[in-house]
Every structure is written in C-alpha cells, then in structure tokens.
Amino acid sequence: MKARHGVYLLLGLCCTLAAGPVQAFDEEAASSALQVARRKLTRTAEEVPLGQYPKSSEPDGTWLLVPADNRVGWTQGFFPGELWLIYDQSREPDWRTLAETWTRPLEVQQYNTETHDLGFKFMPSYGLAYELTNDDYYRQVLLRAAGSLASRYNPRVGIISCCDWNPDWHLPMVSDTMMNLELLLWASRNGGQPGWRDMALNHALRTLADIVRPDGSTYHVVDYDPDTGAQLFRGTFQGYSDTSTWARGHAWVIYGFTMVYRYTRDPRMLEAAQRVTDYYLGRLPEDTVPNWDLDAPIPQKDSSTAAAVASALLELSNYVPDADKKAVYWNAALRMLDALSSPAYLDTEDTSPGILLHAVGHLPAGQEVDVSLIYGDYYFLEAIRRFQRSGIWSSQPGFAAGTRTLGSGNTGVQVAEFDVMPRAQTLDGVIGHADSSARVTSRSEFALSLRLSPAGVFDAYDGTRYAATNAVPYEANAIYHVRILADLPAGRYSVWIKPPSGPEVLLADRFAFRSSAPVTDDLGQLTLKSTAAGEFWVVGHTLRPAPGARPAE
C-alpha cells in the first residue's frame, strides 16, 4: 500500500474521532489563519522602521522593537522568517521582496560571538532565505555565523556557553541552546567544518544528561565550572522554581532533540525527544495550551510554547517507528493547532499587532506577560507549513476551495493512489479528477469520479450515471485505500478499493469517462467536494505513469 505514513496518521485520527466529538485542524483552518497572518505581517512591515524588529506586543497596540545590531537580543530573525514562510506558501514576488528586505540587515550579526542565540537569529531568516532562493550570499553569511557560534564551545565540558551577561553564571548551559544547534548542524553539511556537527551532538548529549530529569521533566539552567566541568547550579531562570519545568524551555528541548535527530539520526536523540514529549503531553490542560510553567500555581497560558511544540510534533511524528506513537504525536499537534486557531488565541479582531494572543516572555521578571510574541507567531506559521506539507487534504463545500492542481504532465495511462477516510456514517462526497484546462465549477467537469454516496457505499461515474461493479460499503473513521487506473487515450478508468480488512475489491471495471466532461488529456486537477468542510479526508495522493499497462478495450 502507498502513503504508509498517512495511513498511520489517519489511524490515529480515526481513534481520536471515534473516542468522541473533537475539532480537528484542517486546511480551511490553516487558510483562515494564514489570512490573518498576511494582514498582520503586511501592517507590521508598513509600520515598523527597517532595521528594527518586533519582539512583543505593547498595551497601545504597537510592537516592542529590537534593533538589528542588538547583540544580546535573540528575536530579530523571526519577523523575516515569517515573511519567508508566507512567500513559500504563496510564491508571490512581493513577499519575497519583503523577506529579503528584512533579512539582509541582520548580516551585522554574523560575527557576533557574545551569544548562543545565533541560531534563533539566522535559521528563520538566512536559513529560509537560502532554502527558498539558493542564493549563495545567504549560505556564506550562515557559515560565518556558525563559526561565531562555534567559538563559544567549551571542549572540556562539551557545551556551548549560552551567554556572558549574567555575572552569577560561570559556564552556563540553558535549554534554549538546543534550538541554536541547528546552525552548526546545517553549516557542517553545507561547506562548514565537519567538527561543528560533533559540537552540536555533544551539547545535545550533555543536555540530555544534565537538563532532562529521569521522569522527562527539565531544568532550565545548568552552570558548570569551566575548568573542571563540575556542576555549580541546576535550576531555572525564567521558570517558577528550580524544581519546576518552565514550559517554553521544555518546548525548546522537545523541538531541539527532534531537530538534532533529523541531522544526525542518532537514536539517543529520538529516544530523548519522545521522553520529554511524553512528559509534556501528560501535563497539558484540556485545551492543550500549557501554563507558562508546568508546575506553577500561578495561572497564565503561554501560546508560544504550544506553537513551538505543535511544530515539533508534526516533525517528530515522521520519525517514530511505532504507529500508535505516531498517531499520538500527530493528534496532539492537530489539537494544539486547533486551539491556537480558535478565537481564544488567534487575534482576528486586531487587538494586537501579533497573530497569537496570550503568550508569556518572562513572568518572574514581570516582562511580556499575556502578550503576543513574535517567536510564537513564527512557530505557529511553521507548524501550519508542516501541516500543509503532510499530504492530508480535506473535502470542501466549494469547488474552488476543494480543488488542487496536479500539473499538466499526467498523460497517457496513469495510476492514482491514495487513502480516504470518511468522517461521517453517510455523506455525499466526490473525489473527482479533471483536465488541467478545465474550469471546475460542478461535477460535470470530472472525467472520472469516485463517490462516497448517501447510501453509505462507494460508487463511480460510468459515462452517464453512478454505478459499481462490486459493492463496497464505507464506515465513518475507517481507512480505505484507493487505486485508479486511468487510460486517458481510451477515455476509460478502473477503480479498486481495499477496505480496512480483507482483499482489494474491483469497484469500477473500465468505466467510461463522464460524457459531459471536457476533453481530458491529462489528470491535472483533483477536487474533494462535500456538503460541509472536512466530511472526508484524502491522504498521500500520488500519480504515476503505468508503463506497459494494456489500454482499455
């Protein structure tokens, strides 16, 4: 079967839905959130002076700003990162221009050796810029920044010292540094020194040994004697107490171990990511947005933590080998995104310059409490990007909203495969393929159609009517694998469906293309149409030529 990862995710979603009514973040919610983001980012780019970077919302509806050349500040990379994410989603040239305009002033940071936060500054900005443009200018700046970060590595202890500004610390390691390791790992793969990878892995292993507690909870800070490596202090700086777990620091560790595994495939990193994730998920409230500290009696939600963890779990679900665990992580991420895209957290009324409400920067210091935070917004958009790349598509009530472009090269004899999950016991939904030149405004443009009929069975369109060679009933929250052989020159197609148990069944045997459809020379568009949004899901849709296939007679 194809799309096995999608099957695992749908299995988990099936279990979640079967357990009771829940909301599920879907393409419509993602699109709505992105509309809010585009409006907010456009306004910020218009109102904030170039060279100043938003950090947190102020009571008067403006941004607290950090200059591009502030060496200790760590948040300057996130606004250009958001612009790059919107450009990647839209591919509109104006967004690329904005992203480049706000990225290049950060070049001044490439020789900054005073902080560990160069990963935060450069990977959302220059990292995405290089990924999306392949402009070598961005790569060269990234390599120089990685060299600056590597200068803070202490080989005796095997860590990157986080900072120099606190006179009470000697050689401090904080959970935040796990996020900055990506700059070293990326650079070691892209023309930098190979030893930078070892630095990053050593630091991650030291984090696992000294910051992660046996139960999967975390400290925020460990301070060492730089000469002997002896521990001088373990506790917190931004959390509730030295024995508590500061939520966002824990998010950095979840995300960080996952990211280090992506680069190294070291099984210790995958095990660590799961351990700290499982602890976190076990401490979440009903709406999945955590308290600012997982142990604090002071209630204050932190949406920035939820955003970072949601993004991390969408990646982590790709790596764990156990199907049940994949589903747990994916479902948790969707519930987090569902909460963050709700009116409780997504600022659709423009009360804030930011996208998400109710985030916390540094509660013990009384700084940035119940505000919008630029980094929470960035990880929310990153999580949406990861969701959109997952290949799970939901049906829509409108033809335009439910249509995806597949390209004009799918000609000749084609094989389409995908998994489909109905989310209701009976519905009226159709999965239709049309020519790339068709203007899809009704079902009549679909040359070939697979229907989830109101009678609770699958059928397909045979020239002038829906029919089935063999009956295949469907049930809500079950997963069906679909294989379609489409002979475009002959104007005929066959459909096989494999139920959750049992063999593959021939549903449509060389059915004729719909007689009212336009001339169909390619499978260029796919439409998922239903009465209401999200009544069924399709995952892992693929098209490939079928060389040697015997044309329909």
Side-chain angles (χ1 to χ4, degrees):
M1 292 193 35
K2 303 293 182 184
R4 294 308 306 171
H5 177 57
V7 169
Y8 292 138
L9 298 183
L10 284 176
L11 281 169
L13 292 167
C14 169
C15 295
T16 299
L17 290 165
V22 297
Q23 290 180 297
F25 187 79
D26 59 14
E27 290 181 295
E28 185 177 18
S31 177
S32 296
L34 288 171
Q35 289 178 16
V36 173
R38 290 167 68 96
R39 184 176 72 248
K40 299 273 191 176
L41 295 173
T42 298
R43 182 175 301 172
T44 295
E46 291 172 348
E47 296 179 353
V48 172
L50 187 62
Q52 298 285 332
Y53 291 83
K55 182 183 181 186
S56 60
S57 62
E58 298 277 55
D60 65 358
T62 63
W63 283 109
L64 175 68
L65 303 176
V66 180
D69 61 357
N70 185 304
R71 297 173 74 81
V72 176
W74 62 280
T75 57
Q76 296 101 313
F78 293 109
F79 179 63
E82 289 180 271
L83 298 174
W84 283 116
L85 290 174
I86 295 297
Y87 167 66
D88 184 42
Q89 188 269 336
S90 68
R91 295 294 166 154
E92 297 170 11
D94 288 350
W95 284 102
R96 173 172 174 168
T97 299
L98 274 178
E100 290 180 324
T101 298
W102 286 88
T103 295
R104 292 189 177 236
L106 296 182
E107 178 182 338
V108 68
Q109 293 282 346
Q110 64 186 313
Y111 297 114
N112 182 358
T113 61
E114 298 175 23
T115 178
H116 68 143
D117 281 324
L118 295 179
F120 278 131
K121 294 174 192 271
F122 280 100
M123 290 311 298
S125 56
Y126 276 76
L128 278 174
Y130 183 67
E131 175 188 331
L132 296 175
T133 70
N134 204 35
D135 186 335
D136 198 58
Y137 157 75
Y138 296 114
R139 185 179 73 92
Q140 294 297 334
V141 172
L142 287 164
L143 292 178
R144 289 189 285 270
S148 298
L149 179 58
S151 72
R152 299 191 62 82
Y153 183 73
N154 182 299
R156 180 180 295 275
V157 184
I159 69 162
I160 293 167
S161 175
C162 82
C163 47
D164 305 326
W165 49 262
N166 191 332
D168 296 329
W169 291 342
H170 303 80
L171 179 64
M173 175 176 70
V174 294
S175 54
D176 316 47
T177 310
M178 285 296 300
M179 301 292 287
N180 294 295
L181 300 180
E182 184 171 10
L183 179 58
L184 294 177
L185 292 165
W186 181 92
S188 70
R189 282 187 175 183
N190 289 275
Q193 296 182 21
W196 291 345
R197 177 189 182 278
D198 297 332
M199 291 181 184
L201 182 57
N202 289 343
H203 181 101
L205 289 170
R206 179 64 73 171
T207 299
L208 175 58
D210 294 348
I211 278 185
V212 180
R213 301 183 184 110
D215 65 354
S217 63
T218 51
Y219 295 100
H220 179 204
V221 182
V222 182
D223 192 27
Y224 302 92
D225 183 310
D227 297 319
T228 67
Q231 288 186 19
L232 303 175
F233 168 75
R234 280 205 297 183
T236 195
F237 180 70
Q238 289 175 251
Y240 173 68
S241 74
D242 289 341
T243 58
S244 71
T245 295
W246 175 48
R248 193 167 67 250
H250 199 81
W252 297 150
V253 172
I254 293 172
Y255 192 117
F257 283 133
T258 302
M259 175 270 297
V260 176
Y261 180 75
R262 181 204 318 156
Y263 282 93
T264 67
R265 299 296 163 163
D266 188 306
R268 294 170 293 184
M269 296 295 97
L270 182 57
E271 187 280 329
Q274 293 182 77
R275 193 193 330 166
V276 294
T277 295
D278 292 345
Y279 179 84
Y280 176 87
L281 294 180
R283 305 299 295 271
L284 283 185
E286 182 72 18
D287 74 349
T288 71
V289 179
N291 199 27
W292 68 282
D293 186 294
L294 300 184
D295 302 292
I298 306 166
Q300 184 62 62
K301 294 283 193 176
D302 182 22
S303 61
S304 72
T305 291
V309 172
S311 185
L313 294 191
L314 291 177
E315 179 175 9
L316 181 58
S317 67
N318 287 306
Y319 302 145
V320 293
D322 180 77
D324 291 337
K325 199 53 111 23
K326 284 177 182 285
V328 167
Y329 294 159
W330 179 263
N331 293 339
L334 287 192
R335 290 196 300 272
M336 293 169 197
L337 288 175
D338 190 55
L340 293 175
S341 61
S342 74
Y345 294 96
L346 183 65
D347 182 34
T348 59
E349 301 298 324
D350 291 338
T351 60
S352 166
I355 300 169
L356 296 179
L357 303 170
H358 309 311
V360 177
H362 190 347
L363 191 145
Q367 298 174 0
E368 300 163 349
V369 178
D370 198 16
V371 297
S372 296
L373 292 171
I374 195 69
Y375 44 92
D377 292 353
Y378 171 82
Y379 288 110
F380 179 56
L381 295 184
E382 182 187 73
I384 291 175
R385 182 199 202 202
R386 287 176 168 174
F387 170 80
Q388 291 181 321
R389 291 182 169 189
S390 67
I392 293 181
W393 303 339
S394 59
S395 63
Q396 300 296 328
F399 284 93
T403 297
R404 291 181 170 270
T405 301
L406 304 175
S408 59
N410 307 308
T411 59
V413 183
Q414 290 283 321
V415 176
E417 290 198 62
F418 52 89
D419 296 300
V420 60
M421 186 178 82
R423 295 180 62 196
Q425 191 56 50
T426 57
L427 53 89
D428 184 11
V430 63
I431 302 167
H433 288 85
D435 190 89
S436 60
S437 64
R439 184 171 178 265
V440 179
T441 58
S442 70
R443 296 189 183 191
S444 63
E445 281 82 30
F446 302 146
L448 44 141
S449 303
L450 173 66
R451 186 176 68 157
L452 294 85
S453 78
V457 297
F458 287 101
D459 53 25
Y461 208 81
D462 186 4
T464 59
R465 63 188 178 89
Y466 284 107
T469 302
N470 295 289
V472 182
Y474 65 81
E475 295 182 359
N477 304 322
I479 300 163
Y480 300 84
H481 185 70
V482 177
R483 180 167 61 94
I484 300 174
L485 178 66
D487 188 336
L488 295 163
R492 290 187 176 274
Y493 70 108
S494 298
V495 182
W496 293 263
I497 295 182
K498 187 182 186 307
S501 60
E504 186 178 66
V505 178
L506 177 62
L507 177 81
D509 186 11
R510 292 177 292 175
F511 279 15
F513 286 4
R514 183 188 288 259
S515 59
S516 62
V519 174
T520 303
D521 298 318
D522 61 52
L523 298 184
Q525 298 183 77
L526 173 74
T527 301
L528 310 182
K529 177 69 170 65
S530 58
T531 305
E535 288 189 325
F536 65 89
W537 287 336
V538 162
V539 63
H541 182 279
T542 62
L543 279 171
R544 67 180 189 277
R550 185 172 65 87
E553 297 176 353

